[in-house]
């Protein structure tokens, strides 16, 4: 092109532009002679993907709605699980009791196995020994109550007479008012419909207790005998990518549950021995029964200790009078303070630390779902859930327990395996 043509054409052609050290960006528009600028293909391709319809919803509302529907899904899932546990409580509760007994009695079975005894017979001997011990304790309590029933009934009669005297002096009630009140209570209890309903309820409860006892014993035997195989089968139900995490969470929960159960048994023994010694020194009746009641009540934190302590104080009040009852109350408070502030922190440590509010809520939930047995298993369940959540969140306070490789059963070569789920 001549110099004249370049002077007359102020807009240069693209092909005539010499090499420029600064490259032209993809989004820059280069004008040609007499032709309008056209957008680049890349810009036209990206325009539909970045275009967004404005619905008039603020970002804060979008975030709140995202949190809201996820929260509703979680609440619905928890509600379905809770309803299922309540509906199947006659199976869930015995299985849970079997798991707790397994956590307590595994060392016994392992010790028998170290004596060259096969795993199956060792588990059977452990279950039979547990039945014998429990039956012996119940027999001891029944024998003591039967032997001291006459004296205790006389003492209860004296206590009732004292209460009547106090009501007459302090509240101005006459003997006739008190007698009429007792008659109304007796008529209410012995009425036909109420008595029949109570008898039916007692019969149904007894049937459920017996059935649950057998389920717990069967679960205890098989958990002791084939616990590792059962756990491996449960882990294989998870997707392959989640099996390692499920296995480590289960082992962490088992360590926490074992520590909780053993520490609770030691604390219960200390409470029972301390309060029983105090009752024996004060000369109270039913010392063994009080000790066993305190031992069982110690498995229900806060509530169990309160109820067992009240029973011990009432026995002292009926048998020996108010002064001995006050001394017994001091003994109960002293023993419970010792186990609450010294034994439990020392034995449980940080691995099973659960907030007191969580304990109270767990006990209340257990009572609603399964009554007394639900209260017994509520706190260890809360401890296990706490350990699992902390482990999945990466907040473990103790090192992870040793890993055991899961047995793999393969019937096909690796190339024929389906893709990971």
């Amino acid at each position: 092109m001549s110099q004249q043509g370049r002077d007359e054409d102020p807009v240069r052609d693209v092909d005539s532009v010499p090499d420029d050290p600064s490259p032209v960006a993809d989004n820059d528009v280069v004008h040609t002679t007499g032709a309008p600028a056209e957008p680049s293909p890349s810009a036209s391709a990206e325009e539909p993907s970045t275009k967004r319809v404005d619905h008039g919803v603020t970002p804060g509302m979008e975030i709140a709605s995202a949190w809201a529907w996820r929260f509703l899904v979680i609440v619905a899932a928890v509600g379905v699980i809770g309803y299922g546990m309540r509906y199947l409580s006659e199976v869930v509760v015995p299985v849970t009791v079997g798991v707790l007994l397994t956590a307590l009695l595994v060392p016994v079975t392992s010790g028998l196995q170290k004596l060259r005894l096969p795993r199956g017979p060792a588990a059977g001997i452990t279950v039979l020994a547990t039945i014998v011990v429990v039956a012996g304790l119940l027999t001891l309590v029944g024998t003591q109550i039967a032997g001291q029933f006459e004296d205790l009934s006389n003492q209860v009669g004296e206590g009732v007479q004292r209460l009547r005297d106090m009501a007459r002096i302090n509240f101005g009630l006459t003997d006739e008012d008190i007698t009429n009140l007792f008659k109304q209570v007796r008529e209410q209890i012995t009425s036909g419909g109420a008595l029949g309903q109570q008898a039916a309820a007692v019969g149904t409860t007894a049937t459920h207790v017996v059935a649950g006892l057998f389920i717990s014993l069967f679960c205890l035997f098989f958990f002791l005998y084939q616990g590792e195989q059962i756990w491996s089968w449960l882990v294989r139900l998870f997707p392959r990518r989640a099996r390692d995490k499920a296995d480590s969470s289960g082992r962490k929960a088992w360590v926490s549950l074992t520590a909780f159960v053993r520490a609770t048994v030691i604390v219960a023994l200390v409470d029972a021995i301390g309060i029983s010694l105090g009752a024996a020194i004060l000369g109270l009746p039913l010392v063994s029964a009080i000790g066993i009641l305190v031992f069982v009540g110690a498995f229900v934190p806060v509530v169990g200790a309160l109820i067992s302590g009240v029973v011990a104080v009432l026995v002292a009040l009926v048998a020996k009078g108010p002064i001995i009852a006050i001394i017994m109350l001091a003994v109960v408070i002293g023993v419970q303070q010792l186990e609450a502030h010294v034994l439990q922190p020392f034995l449980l440590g940080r691995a099973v630390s659960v907030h007191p509010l969580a304990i109270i809520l767990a006990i209340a939930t257990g009572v609603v779902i399964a009554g007394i047995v639900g209260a017994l298993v509520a706190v260890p369940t809360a401890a296990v859930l706490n350990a699992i959540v902390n482990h999945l969140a990466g907040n473990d306070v103790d090192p992870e327990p040793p890993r055991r490789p899961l047995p793999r059963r393969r019937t096909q070569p690796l190339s024929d395996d389906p893709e990971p789920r």
Side-chain angles (χ1 to χ4, degrees), residues 48-382:
S49 61
T50 58
K51 189 175 181 179
R52 188 174 182 181
V53 179
D54 186 8
H55 297 286
V57 180
T58 61
M61 183 61 69
E62 291 183 356
I63 296 174
S65 61
W67 276 91
W69 74 259
R70 287 176 173 85
F71 177 76
L72 292 177
V73 170
I74 294 174
V75 170
V78 172
V80 170
I81 294 174
Y83 176 78
M85 292 180 63
R86 183 182 178 88
Y87 185 76
L88 300 175
S89 60
E90 297 177 9
V91 176
V92 174
V93 172
V95 172
T96 307
V97 173
V99 172
L100 294 176
L101 292 176
T102 304
L104 177 63
L105 299 174
V106 159
V108 178
T109 304
S110 301
L112 293 175
Q113 194 174 12
K114 290 179 181 179
L115 299 177
R116 301 181 182 275
L117 197 64
R119 187 75 180 181
I125 292 174
T126 303
V127 174
L128 291 177
T130 303
I131 295 174
V132 170
V133 170
V134 174
L137 292 176
L138 294 177
T139 303
L140 176 62
V141 173
T143 303
Q144 189 177 29
I145 292 177
Q148 300 182 1
F149 179 78
E150 184 176 357
D151 296 338
L152 186 62
S153 61
N154 295 332
Q155 292 169 355
V156 170
E158 295 177 359
V160 171
Q161 185 61 39
R162 292 178 185 175
L163 292 177
R164 294 182 64 173
D165 295 339
M166 293 175 60
R168 185 172 59 254
I169 295 173
N170 297 326
F171 298 100
L173 297 177
T174 62
D175 292 339
E176 184 179 358
D177 296 334
I178 298 175
T179 303
N180 292 332
L181 180 61
F182 277 111
K183 286 182 179 180
Q184 292 177 3
V185 173
R186 184 176 58 188
E187 290 176 358
Q188 183 68 26
I189 294 176
T190 58
S191 59
L195 187 59
Q197 293 176 0
Q198 291 176 2
V202 170
T204 305
T205 303
T207 304
H208 292 170
V209 168
V210 173
L213 178 61
F214 278 102
I215 294 175
S216 298
L217 292 177
F218 275 109
C219 291
L220 174 61
F221 172 76
F222 284 106
F223 289 161
L224 292 174
Y225 178 37
Q226 295 179 328
E228 294 182 3
Q229 291 87 340
I230 294 174
W231 174 245
S232 300
W233 177 80
L234 289 176
V235 171
R236 283 194 294 270
L237 296 178
F238 288 87
R240 292 186 178 180
R241 295 180 179 178
R243 288 178 184 175
D244 290 338
K245 207 65 177 177
D247 181 41
S248 61
S249 299
R251 289 182 292 107
K252 188 71 179 178
W254 182 252
V255 170
S256 177
L257 179 63
T258 304
F260 177 85
V261 172
R262 294 176 184 174
T264 303
V265 170
I266 296 175
V267 170
L269 283 174
V270 172
D271 284 351
I273 293 173
I275 294 177
S276 298
L277 285 177
I281 293 173
L282 295 175
L284 299 184
L286 304 176
V287 175
S288 300
I290 292 174
I292 294 175
L293 177 63
V294 172
F295 178 79
V296 175
F299 287 91
V300 185
V302 182
V303 179
L306 177 62
I307 294 176
S308 60
V310 168
V311 171
V313 173
L314 288 177
V315 171
L317 177 63
V318 172
K320 298 293 182 179
I323 303 299
I324 302 298
I326 294 175
I327 298 175
M328 190 65 210
L329 177 62
V331 172
V332 170
I333 293 176
V335 172
Q336 292 180 355
Q337 290 298 315
L338 174 66
E339 61 93 359
H341 294 89
V342 178
L343 289 179
Q344 283 190 353
F346 177 75
L347 294 174
L348 295 179
R350 299 177 300 168
V352 202
S353 58
V354 182
H355 196 274
L357 178 60
I359 292 177
I360 297 297
L361 295 178
I363 293 174
T365 305
V367 170
V368 171
I369 294 176
I372 297 176
V373 180
L376 289 173
V377 302
V379 178
T381 302

